[in-house]
Amino acid sequence: QVQLVESGGGLVQAGGSLRLSCAASGSIRSINSMGWYHQAPGKQRELVASFTVGGTTTYADSVKGRFTISRDSAKNTMYLQMNSLKPEDTAVYYCNADVVGRNWLSGNYWGQGTQVTVSS
């Protein structure tokens, strides 16, 4: 089994910054991709940013130039640096990962989410 644990959410004023972390643990052989999604009240969960092991990085148009996704492969940890935050960034942020387990079985996993609230 694989666990994803997010941290770093909180309340920040518009224009401020936050850094989210997602630590993956458990039966992990390799991680093929990781990403951040957010879900605002009454809305669908949407991709914020992601990367693949091949080096492809994707950002939602709404966060380009403001958010940066990164990883520490040795620690199986992913980060999301969020700058110039806007009230519309307010949402629960979820970590997602495509993982190959030590049993060679692949699975897709979600974290429990961390709340980000941006006040105007």
Side-chain angles (χ1 to χ4, degrees):
Q1 191 59 282
V2 173
Q3 298 80 40
L4 302 178
V5 178
E6 302 104 332
S7 60
L11 173 64
V12 64
Q13 287 189 332
S17 298
L18 284 173
R19 188 191 194 209
L20 305 183
S21 299
C22 171
S25 63
S27 179
I28 299 172
R29 181 174 297 276
S30 63
I31 297 177
N32 293 330
S33 66
M34 294 186 80
W36 290 99
Y37 291 73
H38 68 193
Q39 186 168 19
K43 295 188 176 182
Q44 290 187 331
R45 192 172 297 186
E46 299 176 330
L47 175 69
V48 176
S50 67
F51 65 83
T52 68
V53 67
T56 300
T57 302
T58 301
Y59 291 95
D61 288 342
S62 61
V63 307
K64 285 180 181 177
R66 299 189 298 123
F67 291 9
T68 302
I69 190 170
S70 62
R71 69 185 294 190
D72 183 334
S73 299
K75 297 181 179 179
N76 283 336
T77 299
M78 171 179 65
Y79 305 96
L80 185 68
Q81 179 66 45
M82 305 187 293
N83 298 328
S84 302
L85 282 160
K86 304 175 181 180
E88 50 265 42
D89 295 319
T90 296
V92 178
Y93 283 71
Y94 296 92
C95 172
N96 177 267
D98 279 326
V99 175
V100 178
R102 294 193 182 280
N103 58 5
W104 292 102
L105 295 178
S106 297
N108 184 266
Y109 299 90
W110 291 93
Q112 81 286 354
T114 185
Q115 177 70 45
V116 171
T117 302
V118 184
S119 63
S120 58

